[in-house]
Amino acid sequence: MPGYDPKRELKALYAPKNTDWAFVDVPEQRFIAVDGSGNPNTSQEYARAVQALYAVAYTIKFAVRRAGGDDFVVGPLEGLWWAEDYGVFTRREKDAWHWTMLISQPPWVDEELVGQSRQAALAKKRLPAIGGVRFHTLHEGRCAQLLHIGPYDDEGPALARLGDHLAAHGLRHSGLHHEIYLGDPRRAAPEKLRTVLRQPVAPST
C-alpha cells in the first residue's frame, strides 16, 4: 500500500459525509499550484494549467520512487477560487473567476523537489504552462465544509446558504473558497459528481 494517500490520511477533509455546512479544522498542507483566471469550462489557460499540474505531480511521484522513498497516491485536483465580487460564484459568472489549482503533496515533498521535478517535466513534456507550477503551503484553520453531490453548476444554493450559516455562528468569510474534485467529469455523470466545498472562516467581530 502506498505510504501516503490524502483521502486516507485526512478523511475529514477528503471524504466528508455531511451534505450541509459543518465546521472542520484544517492543518497546514503542502501542494503544487498553478494560477490563472477565466472560465474553467472554456479557457485554454485553465486546461493547460491542469495538464501542467498533473505532469509535475507524476514527475514528483516517480522521482520519489526512484530515490527509494515512500510511494504515494497523487491526490485529487483542488482549486482556490476568488473574484472582486463573491456574488459571481452564486450567479456562476465564470469569466470573472480567478483560480489557483492545486494537488496535495506528502509532508516530505519540499520546494527543492518541486523545482527539480518542474524542470524535469518541462524538459520531457515541453508544455510552457509547466513553468508556472510552484510549491505552495496552505493553512486554512477553521473552515465550513460540505460534500456537494451533483453538477458543479448546482453549487449556487449551497454557497448562498453559507452566509446565513456563518452569521448564525458569529463568523465571516476569511480566505479563499476551496473546492476538492473527488469525481472525474470526463467519466462520471454530472448528477454523480462529488465535490468538497470549503470556506475558511473567522469571528465576525
Side-chain angles (χ1 to χ4, degrees):
M1 181 181 294
Y4 183 85
D5 181 347
K7 296 189 294 295
R8 185 182 69 237
E9 303 291 339
L10 300 168
K11 285 186 177 180
L13 307 184
Y14 287 89
K17 303 297 185 183
N18 56 293
T19 55
D20 210 346
W21 294 105
F23 295 110
V24 64
D25 291 309
V26 182
E28 182 175 283
Q29 290 180 262
R30 297 182 176 203
F31 296 91
I32 53 173
V34 63
D35 307 306
S37 61
N39 187 332
N41 293 338
T42 60
S43 168
Q44 285 298 309
E45 180 185 7
Y46 178 84
R48 291 168 183 151
V50 172
Q51 185 182 20
L53 202 59
Y54 274 106
V56 176
Y58 279 97
T59 302
I60 294 170
K61 175 182 172 70
F62 296 139
V64 170
R65 182 184 293 175
R66 286 194 302 270
D70 288 339
D71 196 8
F72 62 90
V73 173
V74 172
L77 183 67
E78 308 184 35
L80 302 176
W81 301 86
W82 71 98
E84 295 297 323
D85 172 17
Y86 186 82
V88 301
F89 294 109
T90 57
R91 297 191 300 269
R92 315 310 285 173
E93 295 174 1
K94 299 177 184 180
D95 288 340
W97 295 0
H98 300 273
W99 39 262
T100 295
M101 305 314 295
L102 308 163
I103 294 178
S104 176
Q105 299 297 301
W108 58 84
V109 170
D110 58 18
E111 188 167 8
E112 181 179 4
L113 178 56
V114 171
Q116 292 170 350
S117 299
R118 180 179 59 239
Q119 292 303 113
L122 186 59
K124 183 176 181 180
K125 299 287 188 178
R126 300 190 183 279
L127 301 172
I130 289 174
V133 176
R134 58 187 175 83
F135 178 76
H136 182 67
T137 59
L138 182 64
H139 190 182
E140 293 174 300
R142 192 69 165 166
C143 293
Q145 178 179 276
L146 62 74
L147 176 65
H148 171 74
I149 301 174
Y152 302 136
D153 284 338
D154 287 355
E155 294 174 7
L159 297 176
R161 292 197 309 273
L162 179 59
D164 290 339
H165 182 73
L166 296 186
H169 290 84
L171 299 169
R172 59 176 175 81
H173 293 76
S174 176
L176 302 180
H177 174 68
H178 189 164
E179 298 191 353
I180 303 172
Y181 306 103
L182 303 178
D184 186 342
R186 298 169 301 178
R187 300 178 181 177
E191 64 272 15
K192 294 183 179 180
L193 290 172
R194 296 179 303 129
T195 308
V196 179
L197 307 184
R198 183 185 300 157
Q199 177 58 54
V201 300
S204 57
T205 56

